Amino acid sequence: MLAKELEIYKQMYKLLNIVLDAREHFPKAYKYAFGEKLMMIGIECCELIQLANSTWDAERVHYLEQFSLKFESLNLMLL
């Protein structure tokens, strides 16, 4: 199965698009530094899902652990 067909990928991609759209409405002081950080973490999460989907065993676990850390960072930033 392709990563793009996975529900987690679809939802992460949807969240990334929400962040990109919302970034346009951030105050100037936050738009670039904070908005850029949110966007990059979202992109990294999508990449990690793709990497985890294309590998097995220890590598897969590593990518999923990295995804979990990045996603928690994103969650913290959005609270």
Side-chain angles (χ1 to χ4, degrees):
M1 177 181 282
L2 296 173
K4 293 179 181 182
E5 296 172 356
L6 298 172
E7 188 62 30
I8 189 170
Y9 184 88
K10 291 176 187 177
Q11 293 299 319
M12 190 64 232
Y13 189 77
K14 185 177 177 181
L15 178 60
L16 177 58
N17 282 311
I18 290 169
V19 167
L20 291 173
D21 291 342
R23 195 178 88 158
E24 296 300 317
H25 304 289
F26 286 178
K28 189 175 182 179
Y30 299 103
K31 186 179 216 173
Y32 298 103
F34 187 69
E36 182 79 15
K37 181 79 171 170
L38 286 173
M39 182 184 70
M40 293 309 298
I41 291 174
I43 291 169
E44 288 172 13
C45 283
C46 287
E47 290 173 347
L48 289 166
I49 293 167
Q50 289 177 325
L51 288 167
N53 190 55
S54 65
T55 59
W56 296 98
D57 301 326
E59 279 187 278
R60 179 177 231 171
V61 171
H62 172 75
Y63 292 133
L64 291 173
E65 287 172 344
Q66 292 299 309
F67 169 79
S68 181
L69 290 171
K70 293 286 183 181
F71 189 76
E72 284 301 316
S73 296
L74 187 61
N75 185 41
L76 181 64
M77 293 175 75
L78 290 173
L79 290 178

PDB file of all heavy atoms in Angstrom, residues 19-46:
ATOM      1  N   VAL A  19      -2.579  24.092   8.463  1.00  0.00           N
ATOM      2  CA  VAL A  19      -1.499  24.937   8.985  1.00  0.00           C
ATOM      3  C   VAL A  19      -1.058  25.941   7.926  1.00  0.00           C
ATOM      4  O   VAL A  19      -0.873  27.125   8.214  1.00  0.00           O
ATOM      5  CB  VAL A  19      -0.305  24.074   9.464  1.00  0.00           C
ATOM      6  CG1 VAL A  19       0.935  24.921   9.696  1.00  0.00           C
ATOM      7  CG2 VAL A  19      -0.683  23.307  10.719  1.00  0.00           C
ATOM      8  N   LEU A  20      -0.906  25.490   6.689  1.00  0.00           N
ATOM      9  CA  LEU A  20      -0.480  26.391   5.612  1.00  0.00           C
ATOM     10  C   LEU A  20      -1.496  27.503   5.383  1.00  0.00           C
ATOM     11  O   LEU A  20      -1.123  28.665   5.205  1.00  0.00           O
ATOM     12  CB  LEU A  20      -0.247  25.606   4.321  1.00  0.00           C
ATOM     13  CG  LEU A  20       0.954  24.669   4.325  1.00  0.00           C
ATOM     14  CD1 LEU A  20       0.979  23.833   3.050  1.00  0.00           C
ATOM     15  CD2 LEU A  20       2.243  25.433   4.485  1.00  0.00           C
ATOM     16  N   ASP A  21      -2.773  27.158   5.401  1.00  0.00           N
ATOM     17  CA  ASP A  21      -3.815  28.166   5.223  1.00  0.00           C
ATOM     18  C   ASP A  21      -3.857  29.136   6.401  1.00  0.00           C
ATOM     19  O   ASP A  21      -3.991  30.347   6.214  1.00  0.00           O
ATOM     20  CB  ASP A  21      -5.184  27.506   5.048  1.00  0.00           C
ATOM     21  CG  ASP A  21      -5.319  26.766   3.729  1.00  0.00           C
ATOM     22  OD1 ASP A  21      -4.522  27.031   2.801  1.00  0.00           O
ATOM     23  OD2 ASP A  21      -6.223  25.909   3.628  1.00  0.00           O
ATOM     24  N   ALA A  22      -3.736  28.614   7.610  1.00  0.00           N
ATOM     25  CA  ALA A  22      -3.797  29.442   8.815  1.00  0.00           C
ATOM     26  C   ALA A  22      -2.595  30.382   8.911  1.00  0.00           C
ATOM     27  O   ALA A  22      -2.717  31.498   9.426  1.00  0.00           O
ATOM     28  CB  ALA A  22      -3.874  28.556  10.053  1.00  0.00           C
ATOM     29  N   ARG A  23      -1.473  29.932   8.409  1.00  0.00           N
ATOM     30  CA  ARG A  23      -0.249  30.729   8.477  1.00  0.00           C
ATOM     31  C   ARG A  23      -0.423  32.097   7.822  1.00  0.00           C
ATOM     32  O   ARG A  23       0.147  33.087   8.265  1.00  0.00           O
ATOM     33  CB  ARG A  23       0.888  29.964   7.811  1.00  0.00           C
ATOM     34  CG  ARG A  23       2.251  30.515   8.123  1.00  0.00           C
ATOM     35  CD  ARG A  23       3.296  29.674   7.455  1.00  0.00           C
ATOM     36  NE  ARG A  23       3.499  30.195   6.115  1.00  0.00           N
ATOM     37  CZ  ARG A  23       4.574  29.995   5.395  1.00  0.00           C
ATOM     38  NH1 ARG A  23       5.527  29.231   5.844  1.00  0.00           N
ATOM     39  NH2 ARG A  23       4.702  30.512   4.210  1.00  0.00           N
ATOM     40  N   GLU A  24      -1.235  32.154   6.808  1.00  0.00           N
ATOM     41  CA  GLU A  24      -1.484  33.426   6.115  1.00  0.00           C
ATOM     42  C   GLU A  24      -2.156  34.454   7.015  1.00  0.00           C
ATOM     43  O   GLU A  24      -2.062  35.649   6.773  1.00  0.00           O
ATOM     44  CB  GLU A  24      -2.350  33.179   4.875  1.00  0.00           C
ATOM     45  CG  GLU A  24      -1.683  32.321   3.827  1.00  0.00           C
ATOM     46  CD  GLU A  24      -0.397  32.936   3.303  1.00  0.00           C
ATOM     47  OE1 GLU A  24      -0.360  34.151   3.053  1.00  0.00           O
ATOM     48  OE2 GLU A  24       0.594  32.180   3.171  1.00  0.00           O
ATOM     49  N   HIS A  25      -2.814  34.004   8.071  1.00  0.00           N
ATOM     50  CA  HIS A  25      -3.551  34.903   8.960  1.00  0.00           C
ATOM     51  C   HIS A  25      -2.813  35.169  10.269  1.00  0.00           C
ATOM     52  O   HIS A  25      -3.341  35.867  11.130  1.00  0.00           O
ATOM     53  CB  HIS A  25      -4.940  34.318   9.256  1.00  0.00           C
ATOM     54  CG  HIS A  25      -5.725  34.037   8.014  1.00  0.00           C
ATOM     55  ND1 HIS A  25      -6.247  35.037   7.213  1.00  0.00           N
ATOM     56  CD2 HIS A  25      -6.046  32.879   7.409  1.00  0.00           C
ATOM     57  CE1 HIS A  25      -6.865  34.495   6.190  1.00  0.00           C
ATOM     58  NE2 HIS A  25      -6.756  33.183   6.280  1.00  0.00           N
ATOM     59  N   PHE A  26      -1.609  34.611  10.409  1.00  0.00           N
ATOM     60  CA  PHE A  26      -0.824  34.861  11.612  1.00  0.00           C
ATOM     61  C   PHE A  26      -0.363  36.316  11.626  1.00  0.00           C
ATOM     62  O   PHE A  26      -0.096  36.905  10.561  1.00  0.00           O
ATOM     63  CB  PHE A  26       0.425  33.981  11.649  1.00  0.00           C
ATOM     64  CG  PHE A  26       0.194  32.530  11.958  1.00  0.00           C
ATOM     65  CD1 PHE A  26       1.260  31.654  11.979  1.00  0.00           C
ATOM     66  CD2 PHE A  26      -1.063  32.023  12.218  1.00  0.00           C
ATOM     67  CE1 PHE A  26       1.084  30.305  12.260  1.00  0.00           C
ATOM     68  CE2 PHE A  26      -1.261  30.678  12.500  1.00  0.00           C
ATOM     69  CZ  PHE A  26      -0.176  29.826  12.520  1.00  0.00           C
ATOM     70  N   PRO A  27      -0.216  36.897  12.809  1.00  0.00           N
ATOM     71  CA  PRO A  27       0.408  38.223  12.890  1.00  0.00           C
ATOM     72  C   PRO A  27       1.828  38.151  12.319  1.00  0.00           C
ATOM     73  O   PRO A  27       2.475  37.100  12.368  1.00  0.00           O
ATOM     74  CB  PRO A  27       0.447  38.515  14.393  1.00  0.00           C
ATOM     75  CG  PRO A  27      -0.553  37.600  15.008  1.00  0.00           C
ATOM     76  CD  PRO A  27      -0.619  36.398  14.117  1.00  0.00           C
ATOM     77  N   LYS A  28       2.282  39.253  11.797  1.00  0.00           N
ATOM     78  CA  LYS A  28       3.590  39.284  11.137  1.00  0.00           C
ATOM     79  C   LYS A  28       4.709  38.747  12.033  1.00  0.00           C
ATOM     80  O   LYS A  28       5.609  38.062  11.557  1.00  0.00           O
ATOM     81  CB  LYS A  28       3.921  40.706  10.690  1.00  0.00           C
ATOM     82  CG  LYS A  28       5.141  40.796   9.823  1.00  0.00           C
ATOM     83  CD  LYS A  28       5.351  42.195   9.302  1.00  0.00           C
ATOM     84  CE  LYS A  28       6.562  42.220   8.390  1.00  0.00           C
ATOM     85  NZ  LYS A  28       6.784  43.554   7.857  1.00  0.00           N
ATOM     86  N   ALA A  29       4.626  39.022  13.328  1.00  0.00           N
ATOM     87  CA  ALA A  29       5.666  38.576  14.256  1.00  0.00           C
ATOM     88  C   ALA A  29       5.753  37.054  14.330  1.00  0.00           C
ATOM     89  O   ALA A  29       6.813  36.500  14.645  1.00  0.00           O
ATOM     90  CB  ALA A  29       5.400  39.146  15.644  1.00  0.00           C
ATOM     91  N   TYR A  30       4.656  36.355  14.043  1.00  0.00           N
ATOM     92  CA  TYR A  30       4.621  34.897  14.132  1.00  0.00           C
ATOM     93  C   TYR A  30       4.602  34.205  12.773  1.00  0.00           C
ATOM     94  O   TYR A  30       4.912  33.027  12.672  1.00  0.00           O
ATOM     95  CB  TYR A  30       3.387  34.431  14.918  1.00  0.00           C
ATOM     96  CG  TYR A  30       3.369  34.930  16.329  1.00  0.00           C
ATOM     97  CD1 TYR A  30       2.554  35.987  16.699  1.00  0.00           C
ATOM     98  CD2 TYR A  30       4.178  34.347  17.295  1.00  0.00           C
ATOM     99  CE1 TYR A  30       2.531  36.448  18.000  1.00  0.00           C
ATOM    100  CE2 TYR A  30       4.163  34.792  18.598  1.00  0.00           C
ATOM    101  CZ  TYR A  30       3.339  35.850  18.944  1.00  0.00           C
ATOM    102  OH  TYR A  30       3.314  36.294  20.230  1.00  0.00           O
ATOM    103  N   LYS A  31       4.210  34.940  11.763  1.00  0.00           N
ATOM    104  CA  LYS A  31       3.980  34.348  10.443  1.00  0.00           C
ATOM    105  C   LYS A  31       5.187  33.595   9.905  1.00  0.00           C
ATOM    106  O   LYS A  31       5.051  32.491   9.383  1.00  0.00           O
ATOM    107  CB  LYS A  31       3.575  35.446   9.463  1.00  0.00           C
ATOM    108  CG  LYS A  31       3.166  34.960   8.115  1.00  0.00           C
ATOM    109  CD  LYS A  31       2.777  36.149   7.256  1.00  0.00           C
ATOM    110  CE  LYS A  31       1.642  35.769   6.363  1.00  0.00           C
ATOM    111  NZ  LYS A  31       1.116  36.900   5.634  1.00  0.00           N
ATOM    112  N   TYR A  32       6.348  34.165  10.059  1.00  0.00           N
ATOM    113  CA  TYR A  32       7.522  33.562   9.434  1.00  0.00           C
ATOM    114  C   TYR A  32       8.214  32.565  10.348  1.00  0.00           C
ATOM    115  O   TYR A  32       8.377  31.408   9.972  1.00  0.00           O
ATOM    116  CB  TYR A  32       8.465  34.661   8.944  1.00  0.00           C
ATOM    117  CG  TYR A  32       7.783  35.496   7.893  1.00  0.00           C
ATOM    118  CD1 TYR A  32       7.287  36.756   8.191  1.00  0.00           C
ATOM    119  CD2 TYR A  32       7.567  34.990   6.619  1.00  0.00           C
ATOM    120  CE1 TYR A  32       6.613  37.501   7.233  1.00  0.00           C
ATOM    121  CE2 TYR A  32       6.895  35.722   5.658  1.00  0.00           C
ATOM    122  CZ  TYR A  32       6.422  36.987   5.976  1.00  0.00           C
ATOM    123  OH  TYR A  32       5.747  37.704   5.039  1.00  0.00           O
ATOM    124  N   ALA A  33       8.589  32.961  11.531  1.00  0.00           N
ATOM    125  CA  ALA A  33       9.327  32.050  12.411  1.00  0.00           C
ATOM    126  C   ALA A  33       8.439  30.898  12.884  1.00  0.00           C
ATOM    127  O   ALA A  33       8.754  29.727  12.670  1.00  0.00           O
ATOM    128  CB  ALA A  33       9.897  32.806  13.599  1.00  0.00           C
ATOM    129  N   PHE A  34       7.324  31.213  13.498  1.00  0.00           N
ATOM    130  CA  PHE A  34       6.439  30.193  14.045  1.00  0.00           C
ATOM    131  C   PHE A  34       5.724  29.429  12.934  1.00  0.00           C
ATOM    132  O   PHE A  34       5.642  28.199  12.964  1.00  0.00           O
ATOM    133  CB  PHE A  34       5.423  30.841  14.988  1.00  0.00           C
ATOM    134  CG  PHE A  34       4.562  29.875  15.732  1.00  0.00           C
ATOM    135  CD1 PHE A  34       5.090  29.063  16.711  1.00  0.00           C
ATOM    136  CD2 PHE A  34       3.207  29.782  15.449  1.00  0.00           C
ATOM    137  CE1 PHE A  34       4.296  28.169  17.407  1.00  0.00           C
ATOM    138  CE2 PHE A  34       2.402  28.891  16.131  1.00  0.00           C
ATOM    139  CZ  PHE A  34       2.949  28.080  17.113  1.00  0.00           C
ATOM    140  N   GLY A  35       5.225  30.148  11.954  1.00  0.00           N
ATOM    141  CA  GLY A  35       4.527  29.514  10.835  1.00  0.00           C
ATOM    142  C   GLY A  35       5.427  28.591  10.040  1.00  0.00           C
ATOM    143  O   GLY A  35       5.024  27.494   9.646  1.00  0.00           O
ATOM    144  N   GLU A  36       6.650  29.009   9.831  1.00  0.00           N
ATOM    145  CA  GLU A  36       7.629  28.179   9.111  1.00  0.00           C
ATOM    146  C   GLU A  36       7.945  26.908   9.899  1.00  0.00           C
ATOM    147  O   GLU A  36       8.035  25.817   9.331  1.00  0.00           O
ATOM    148  CB  GLU A  36       8.919  28.978   8.870  1.00  0.00           C
ATOM    149  CG  GLU A  36       9.977  28.258   8.095  1.00  0.00           C
ATOM    150  CD  GLU A  36       9.718  28.256   6.604  1.00  0.00           C
ATOM    151  OE1 GLU A  36       8.874  29.034   6.133  1.00  0.00           O
ATOM    152  OE2 GLU A  36      10.372  27.461   5.908  1.00  0.00           O
ATOM    153  N   LYS A  37       8.100  27.043  11.202  1.00  0.00           N
ATOM    154  CA  LYS A  37       8.395  25.880  12.051  1.00  0.00           C
ATOM    155  C   LYS A  37       7.248  24.878  11.997  1.00  0.00           C
ATOM    156  O   LYS A  37       7.470  23.679  11.835  1.00  0.00           O
ATOM    157  CB  LYS A  37       8.633  26.353  13.488  1.00  0.00           C
ATOM    158  CG  LYS A  37       8.977  25.278  14.452  1.00  0.00           C
ATOM    159  CD  LYS A  37      10.408  24.878  14.336  1.00  0.00           C
ATOM    160  CE  LYS A  37      10.766  23.943  15.494  1.00  0.00           C
ATOM    161  NZ  LYS A  37      12.047  23.332  15.315  1.00  0.00           N
ATOM    162  N   LEU A  38       6.009  25.356  12.113  1.00  0.00           N
ATOM    163  CA  LEU A  38       4.841  24.472  12.022  1.00  0.00           C
ATOM    164  C   LEU A  38       4.810  23.750  10.682  1.00  0.00           C
ATOM    165  O   LEU A  38       4.560  22.544  10.619  1.00  0.00           O
ATOM    166  CB  LEU A  38       3.549  25.268  12.196  1.00  0.00           C
ATOM    167  CG  LEU A  38       3.189  25.752  13.585  1.00  0.00           C
ATOM    168  CD1 LEU A  38       1.973  26.668  13.520  1.00  0.00           C
ATOM    169  CD2 LEU A  38       2.940  24.598  14.526  1.00  0.00           C
ATOM    170  N   MET A  39       5.049  24.497   9.624  1.00  0.00           N
ATOM    171  CA  MET A  39       5.021  23.924   8.280  1.00  0.00           C
ATOM    172  C   MET A  39       6.096  22.850   8.114  1.00  0.00           C
ATOM    173  O   MET A  39       5.823  21.761   7.606  1.00  0.00           O
ATOM    174  CB  MET A  39       5.222  25.028   7.239  1.00  0.00           C
ATOM    175  CG  MET A  39       5.165  24.540   5.811  1.00  0.00           C
ATOM    176  SD  MET A  39       5.515  25.852   4.625  1.00  0.00           S
ATOM    177  CE  MET A  39       7.248  26.129   4.905  1.00  0.00           C
ATOM    178  N   MET A  40       7.297  23.123   8.580  1.00  0.00           N
ATOM    179  CA  MET A  40       8.393  22.171   8.417  1.00  0.00           C
ATOM    180  C   MET A  40       8.159  20.904   9.243  1.00  0.00           C
ATOM    181  O   MET A  40       8.448  19.802   8.766  1.00  0.00           O
ATOM    182  CB  MET A  40       9.734  22.819   8.792  1.00  0.00           C
ATOM    183  CG  MET A  40      10.155  23.919   7.826  1.00  0.00           C
ATOM    184  SD  MET A  40      10.103  23.427   6.072  1.00  0.00           S
ATOM    185  CE  MET A  40      11.290  22.118   6.046  1.00  0.00           C
ATOM    186  N   ILE A  41       7.623  21.038  10.435  1.00  0.00           N
ATOM    187  CA  ILE A  41       7.331  19.849  11.241  1.00  0.00           C
ATOM    188  C   ILE A  41       6.254  19.013  10.549  1.00  0.00           C
ATOM    189  O   ILE A  41       6.347  17.787  10.505  1.00  0.00           O
ATOM    190  CB  ILE A  41       6.922  20.231  12.674  1.00  0.00           C
ATOM    191  CG1 ILE A  41       8.104  20.810  13.433  1.00  0.00           C
ATOM    192  CG2 ILE A  41       6.368  19.009  13.417  1.00  0.00           C
ATOM    193  CD1 ILE A  41       7.764  21.349  14.812  1.00  0.00           C
ATOM    194  N   GLY A  42       5.246  19.673   9.985  1.00  0.00           N
ATOM    195  CA  GLY A  42       4.202  18.954   9.254  1.00  0.00           C
ATOM    196  C   GLY A  42       4.759  18.193   8.056  1.00  0.00           C
ATOM    197  O   GLY A  42       4.392  17.029   7.824  1.00  0.00           O
ATOM    198  N   ILE A  43       5.638  18.827   7.330  1.00  0.00           N
ATOM    199  CA  ILE A  43       6.270  18.173   6.177  1.00  0.00           C
ATOM    200  C   ILE A  43       7.130  16.992   6.645  1.00  0.00           C
ATOM    201  O   ILE A  43       7.088  15.912   6.043  1.00  0.00           O
ATOM    202  CB  ILE A  43       7.109  19.183   5.367  1.00  0.00           C
ATOM    203  CG1 ILE A  43       6.178  20.178   4.663  1.00  0.00           C
ATOM    204  CG2 ILE A  43       8.018  18.471   4.356  1.00  0.00           C
ATOM    205  CD1 ILE A  43       6.884  21.363   4.042  1.00  0.00           C
ATOM    206  N   GLU A  44       7.889  17.187   7.713  1.00  0.00           N
ATOM    207  CA  GLU A  44       8.713  16.097   8.240  1.00  0.00           C
ATOM    208  C   GLU A  44       7.848  14.920   8.686  1.00  0.00           C
ATOM    209  O   GLU A  44       8.227  13.758   8.478  1.00  0.00           O
ATOM    210  CB  GLU A  44       9.560  16.596   9.411  1.00  0.00           C
ATOM    211  CG  GLU A  44      10.684  17.512   8.981  1.00  0.00           C
ATOM    212  CD  GLU A  44      11.412  18.156  10.154  1.00  0.00           C
ATOM    213  OE1 GLU A  44      11.222  17.709  11.315  1.00  0.00           O
ATOM    214  OE2 GLU A  44      12.169  19.099   9.924  1.00  0.00           O
ATOM    215  N   CYS A  45       6.690  15.200   9.285  1.00  0.00           N
ATOM    216  CA  CYS A  45       5.785  14.121   9.694  1.00  0.00           C
ATOM    217  C   CYS A  45       5.323  13.317   8.481  1.00  0.00           C
ATOM    218  O   CYS A  45       5.298  12.080   8.520  1.00  0.00           O
ATOM    219  CB  CYS A  45       4.583  14.689  10.457  1.00  0.00           C
ATOM    220  SG  CYS A  45       4.943  15.160  12.155  1.00  0.00           S
ATOM    221  N   CYS A  46       4.967  14.002   7.413  1.00  0.00           N
ATOM    222  CA  CYS A  46       4.552  13.301   6.185  1.00  0.00           C
ATOM    223  C   CYS A  46       5.694  12.460   5.629  1.00  0.00           C
ATOM    224  O   CYS A  46       5.486  11.314   5.211  1.00  0.00           O
ATOM    225  CB  CYS A  46       4.074  14.303   5.136  1.00  0.00           C
ATOM    226  SG  CYS A  46       2.474  15.044   5.496  1.00  0.00           S
TER     227      CYS A  46
END
